[in-house]
């Protein structure tokens, strides 16, 4: 018989380029509820999309400042927080490596200029990753190290 569930959730392999080069100051940590990585940068460092996709969010938030979210193939979403400004708008198509924001120190939950980078997957258990990666709240957060080259 044909198993719909098994075929729908086959493991996926995704390789992304890094959004920026910098020093990682805080790693992904389920226990600390830090569901991304923080990369220390000088203000106004160009932040790049890690893959082709569509911008689904590009707005100011109180906690994270200027935030950009990009939806990619394989139901992957990447989120870029604490930017000084966004260079894209909701609905824009972006190419891998395209500058989407400039780094900053915006929002209440920041401690200096950096990029907070998150990856989310519609079905996190399909991530082909040996790292501890799954957010126990089932909100699809996945350790970015699973995808970055």
């Amino acid at each position: 018989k044909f198993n719909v569930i098994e075929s729908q959730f086959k493991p996926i392999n995704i390789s992304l380029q890094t959004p920026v080069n910098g020093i990682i100051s805080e790693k992904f940590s389920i226990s600390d509820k830090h569901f991304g990585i923080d990369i220390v940068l000088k203000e106004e460092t160009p932040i790049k999309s890690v893959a082709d996709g569509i911008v689904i969010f590009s707005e100011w938030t109180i906690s994270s400042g200027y935030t950009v979210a990009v939806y990619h193939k394989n139901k992957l979403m990447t989120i870029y927080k604490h930017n000084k400004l966004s260079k894209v708008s909701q609905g824009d198509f972006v190419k891998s490596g395209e500058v989407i924001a400039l780094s900053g120190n915006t929002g209440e939950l920041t401690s200096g200029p950096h990029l907070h980078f998150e990856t989310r997957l519609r079905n996190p258990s399909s991530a082909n990753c040996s790292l501890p990666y799954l957010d126990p709240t089932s909100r699809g957060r996945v350790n970015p190290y699973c995808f970055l080259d």
Side-chain angles (χ1 to χ4, degrees):
K1 292 185 176 183
F2 181 72
N3 186 333
V4 176
I5 294 172
E6 182 180 312
S7 64
Q8 185 178 3
F9 299 118
K10 288 182 180 175
I12 58 172
N13 287 310
I14 301 171
S15 182
L16 307 174
Q17 72 171 46
T18 57
V20 68
N21 290 324
I23 297 169
I24 295 175
S25 62
E26 191 168 352
K27 296 180 179 180
F28 181 94
S29 172
I30 293 169
S31 59
D32 293 337
K33 298 187 179 186
H34 189 257
F35 300 111
I37 57 175
D38 288 348
I39 305 170
V40 176
L41 303 166
K42 290 183 180 178
E43 269 201 58
E44 299 188 13
T45 299
I47 306 297
K48 299 175 183 176
S49 178
V50 297
D52 294 353
I54 297 174
V55 177
I56 59 171
F57 185 84
S58 182
E59 299 285 336
W60 170 266
T61 69
I62 292 172
S63 62
S64 300
Y66 287 103
T67 300
V68 175
V70 180
Y71 188 78
H72 309 279
K73 68 180 182 175
N74 294 316
K75 300 180 182 177
L76 175 72
M77 180 172 54
T78 54
I79 304 167
Y80 312 77
K81 296 180 177 181
H82 304 299
N83 301 299
K84 183 172 185 172
L85 64 91
S86 174
K87 303 282 248 172
V88 294
S89 300
Q90 185 175 342
D92 288 352
F93 177 80
V94 294
K95 299 291 280 176
S96 180
E98 182 177 337
V99 175
I100 58 173
L102 297 180
S103 67
N105 185 28
T106 61
E108 292 178 352
L109 301 177
T110 188
S111 57
H114 74 286
L115 169 67
H116 175 86
F117 176 68
E118 290 185 23
T119 53
R120 296 188 187 184
L121 197 56
R122 176 69 182 228
N123 178 31
S125 61
S126 68
N128 190 12
C129 185
S130 61
L131 298 167
Y133 65 87
L134 187 57
D135 172 6
T137 63
S138 300
R139 296 179 68 188
R141 296 176 176 123
V142 178
N143 189 333
Y145 290 119
C146 293
F147 306 111
L148 298 174
D149 284 336

